Amino acid sequence: MTHILVIVVLAQMGTNGAKLLLALFAIDLGASPLQVGITFAMFSILPAILAISAGRWVDRIGVRLPLLLGCGGMALAIGIVFLTPALWALYLCAALIGLSFMVYVVAGQSIVGSMGASSDRTRNFSYYSLAVAFASVMGRAGTGVSIDLLGHRSTALLLAIGPLLALAIAWWLPSRNLPAKATPERIVRTSTYELWKIPALRRALIAAAIVESGNELFALFIPLYGTYLGFSATFIGTLLATFAAATFLVRTALPRLVARFGEETVLSFALGCAALVGVLTIATTQPWVLLVLTAAFGFSLGCGMPLSMALTYARAPEGRAAEAIGMRQTVNKSIEVTVPVCFGALAVVAGLAPLAVALGTVLAVGAVVIGRDAQRRRLTPSSNTPQASPTKAP
């Protein structure tokens, strides 16, 4: 497990840093909030289209080659930013980074889900999410400082180092250390829509979409609001790193919270708290208050990713786990395409205050929906049982 977590940290540092880099670079090039939103959307447009196919591909051939291609593609795409300091090129780089990252994520989450017994799955995904949060802290904070000291283009070269090292480690690992194997040919596949028809899996995907909406709106809002207030790239990176650090801390307590209250109850309460904090961010211009609110937002929303990942893997039919992860990526990336563009356009027309209100509204609706789902599941325990076992060929 340790070597996989090292790969996760290195790859995520590059990608998380690159997302902040491209947003601030676009603003420096004179981009409007809508154009910054388009930059964010370009990270997700290809994954939204191709993630399910990528999941089926990983199920079919195993994880090693996709892991190598994902890490290598991220390093190459981030490095291109150094060569092409223009807004149109940032769009292209964002699309290539997003595609490579999606391939890496499908392979990486398949590896984590296949490690150990099923009883270890929530713990393993908690470790995975902790590695992601740690990488977010380092990547975002380091990116902000590097931009102020070295500039945007040199920062791109530094960020490419992480995925390159991840590629080297993945290449060095023997196949026995990558436990997720190719799916046996005897499993007969139905359409991906059949996965959506599994109620328990569908609920996990909806939860993932709501959490991702909150993350994307917050990641869009902070650079725009920080720049509007005249904050440096270092402080904007510190704000996002504080959010990531808070997610890291809350995930250390997540297994105990889930054991006591259940996944849906924890997630519903967290979304409600995040909704309140999201609206409050626009009410202050004080740096230290924003730091506190950013930390509170991270504590609230930080549990969403590991819960939705573990539920997606656990509720997928046998032999289709990577496809289900790909479907989760499709749902999430569709959100990441539409949310930044729509709300970036809203910010152009109405300013940043409606953007903060929209952030709170999305999360509040999610809290209500998931809270009702938790109540329904308590009243009908049988609904917790995963459905739709795979059909076997005779």
Side-chain angles (χ1 to χ4, degrees):
M1 185 69 178
T2 302
H3 47 271
I4 299 301
L5 295 180
V6 172
I7 291 174
V8 170
V9 169
L10 292 170
Q12 295 273 164
M13 281 178 62
T15 303
N16 288 329
K19 204 161 191 178
L20 175 59
L21 168 66
L22 265 62
L24 293 177
F25 202 178
I27 293 171
D28 186 66
L29 291 172
S32 68
L34 175 59
Q35 290 172 314
V36 176
I38 292 172
T39 304
F40 267 71
M42 293 304 295
F43 279 96
S44 305
I45 190 165
L46 292 178
I49 298 169
L50 301 173
I52 293 175
S53 297
R56 288 182 168 180
W57 179 53
V58 173
D59 276 333
R60 187 171 64 251
I61 71 168
V63 298
R64 183 175 179 80
L65 179 59
L67 190 64
L68 294 172
L69 290 176
C71 292
M74 281 187 283
L76 178 62
I78 295 170
I80 291 175
V81 177
F82 176 79
L83 302 174
T84 52
L87 188 58
W88 68 266
L90 298 188
Y91 294 160
L92 175 61
C93 292
L96 295 175
I97 293 168
L99 177 63
S100 302
F101 182 73
M102 177 268 294
V103 174
Y104 144 80
V105 164
V106 172
Q109 291 183 14
S110 297
I111 295 169
V112 173
S114 64
M115 285 183 163
S118 59
S119 59
D120 299 327
R121 191 169 295 132
T122 298
R123 182 199 65 190
N124 289 343
F125 275 114
S126 293
Y127 289 156
Y128 175 91
S129 63
L130 286 171
V132 171
F134 176 78
S136 297
V137 174
M138 303 303 294
R140 289 166 172 173
T143 297
V145 173
S146 179
I147 289 172
D148 283 337
L149 293 178
L150 304 175
H152 298 89
R153 296 175 65 191
S154 297
T155 298
L157 291 182
L158 291 177
L159 289 174
I161 294 174
L164 267 180
L165 292 175
L167 171 64
I169 295 172
W171 180 270
W172 170 79
L173 286 176
S175 297
R176 65 177 179 274
N177 288 333
L178 300 176
K181 304 299 182 183
T183 300
E185 292 296 328
R186 67 177 183 276
I187 294 179
V188 177
R189 297 189 180 279
T190 56
S191 70
T192 299
Y193 180 67
E194 295 298 319
L195 295 179
W196 181 255
K197 290 167 65 176
I198 303 172
L201 180 57
R202 185 170 63 247
R203 287 193 295 268
L205 293 172
I206 291 171
I210 293 168
V211 171
E212 195 64 29
S213 296
N215 282 327
E216 283 301 299
L217 279 172
F218 193 72
L220 174 64
F221 174 78
I222 289 297
L224 291 175
Y225 192 45
T227 301
Y228 170 77
L229 295 176
F231 295 151
S232 67
T234 297
F235 187 73
I236 293 172
T238 300
L239 286 172
L240 292 173
T242 299
F243 165 77
T247 67
F248 179 91
L249 292 175
V250 77
R251 287 168 187 174
T252 62
L254 185 58
R256 291 190 294 275
L257 292 173
V258 169
R260 182 169 182 179
F261 300 107
E263 292 95 340
E264 286 84 358
T265 300
V266 172
L267 188 54
S268 177
F269 180 77
L271 289 174
C273 293
L276 176 61
V277 175
V279 174
L280 290 176
T281 54
I282 197 65
T284 183
T285 60
Q286 297 299 315
W288 69 270
V289 177
L290 278 175
L291 277 172
V292 171
L293 290 174
T294 301
F297 194 82
F299 280 121
S300 302
L301 203 60
C303 62
M305 187 182 76
L307 286 177
S308 63
M309 281 192 305
L311 290 173
T312 300
Y313 191 95
R315 294 173 179 179
E318 180 187 352
R320 301 183 72 181
E323 184 180 354
I325 292 171
M327 190 172 186
R328 179 180 179 273
Q329 285 286 300
T330 294
V331 172
N332 286 0
K333 298 306 178 182
S334 297
I335 292 292
E336 292 176 15
V337 170
T338 55
V339 164
V341 174
C342 292
F343 288 100
L346 174 65
V348 170
V349 174
L352 294 177
L355 187 61
V357 173
L359 170 62
T361 301
V362 168
L363 295 172
V365 170
V368 172
V369 170
I370 294 173
R372 288 179 177 177
D373 184 61
Q375 183 178 19
R376 183 166 55 249
R377 292 188 64 184
R378 284 195 297 268
L379 295 175
T380 56
S382 60
S383 68
N384 292 335
T385 305
Q387 302 177 23
S389 298
T391 304
K392 306 285 185 178

